[in-house]
Amino acid sequence: MSRRSGILEFAVLGLLRESPMHGYELRKRLNTSLGVFRAFSYGSLYPCLKALVASGWLIEESGNSTDDPLAAPLAGRRAKIVYRLTAEGKEHFEELLSQTGPDAYEDEHFAARFAFFGQTSRDVRMRVLEGRRSRLEERLEKMRASFARTRERLDDYTLELQRHGMESVEREVRWLNELIESERAGRDQQRSDSGGSARRDPSGSAAQRDTSGKAGDLPRHRDNSQPDPSADTEK
């Protein structure tokens, strides 16, 4: 499986975990909700869905919506296929969510992983964020070294392009630092609350809340929007 197809399968499973959808809905969600897929060929979506069905992670059901012109034949209409996550598919997606290997830190994969942080445990979120930050700090160090070596030989426009790339990476590193601080603060608060709750509630409900995976208050831009992790990263 290629890295790009693996990212697409991950995103499809994550979206279908929220609710069953037909292909047209999935295409819209991939494009509008997960901006990292704007450059993906949608011709790859249906082969991906078929592969997931063959693996037993999705099932196909008949639907009644006819919004997707590609799903209806030229002569008449028929019910569209709705894709639903199976129990095995849910387990597989949860396994993917728990992975924190180097692929999770790469540009496209990180953006997809971040989109599903609300379904990811806090410890995994921390490992992915810290791995991403480390990867970008290494990239930034190389970019600065390259800039210092070549700045005398480059024209003003090329220099500005390199500065823009470094500033983009620096901006994401600052954003990651804020996210990591927020996660740590939330974890510390959760531990404090869990300790108090454990004394008040011997049933262990505090521990259950700790595994919910919900993120704390995320840092936001000045316009009160959360930054797009795929937007300004130098490839």
Side-chain angles (χ1 to χ4, degrees), residues 109-175:
H109 208 154
F110 173 75
R113 288 296 303 268
F114 189 86
F116 295 100
F117 262 21
Q119 304 179 43
T120 306
S121 69
R122 190 185 302 276
D123 289 343
V124 171
R125 290 198 302 263
M126 283 289 292
R127 288 197 294 271
V128 172
L129 290 171
E130 289 172 342
R132 174 66 174 175
R133 179 177 63 180
S134 177
R135 178 64 52 84
L136 289 184
E137 287 173 341
E138 292 174 3
R139 183 184 300 177
L140 187 58
E141 183 178 352
K142 292 178 181 178
M143 293 173 71
R144 287 170 173 164
S146 175
F147 183 78
R149 289 195 307 268
T150 61
R151 62 182 304 168
E152 299 299 330
R153 303 193 301 270
L154 300 178
D155 61 68
D156 291 343
Y157 295 100
T158 305
L159 286 173
E160 282 304 310
L161 184 62
Q162 289 198 0
R163 288 194 185 96
H164 173 70
M166 286 191 296
E167 290 171 358
S168 297
V169 177
E170 289 169 347
R171 184 162 55 249
E172 185 172 348
V173 170
R174 290 194 298 270
W175 174 65

Side-chain angles (χ1 to χ4, degrees), residues 2-3 7 99-111 113 128 132 135:
S2 70
R3 177 178 295 175
I7 298 170
Q99 295 178 2
T100 59
D103 281 352
Y105 316 148
E106 298 299 335
D107 296 342
E108 291 176 339
H109 208 154
F110 173 75
R113 288 296 303 268
V128 172
R132 174 66 174 175
R135 178 64 52 84

Side-chain angles (χ1 to χ4, degrees), residues 21-41:
M21 300 182 201
H22 52 71
Y24 176 68
E25 291 174 312
L26 277 169
R27 291 204 309 271
K28 284 204 306 184
R29 290 292 303 278
L30 287 168
N31 183 269
T32 59
S33 301
L34 306 180
V36 66
F37 292 101
R38 294 188 188 109
F40 269 60
S41 168

Side-chain angles (χ1 to χ4, degrees), residues 72-93:
L74 294 177
R77 294 180 176 179
R78 66 180 178 185
K80 287 193 300 184
I81 299 299
V82 172
Y83 297 91
R84 182 184 298 274
L85 200 65
T86 64
E88 293 80 5
K90 182 178 180 180
E91 290 179 3
H92 179 62
F93 179 68

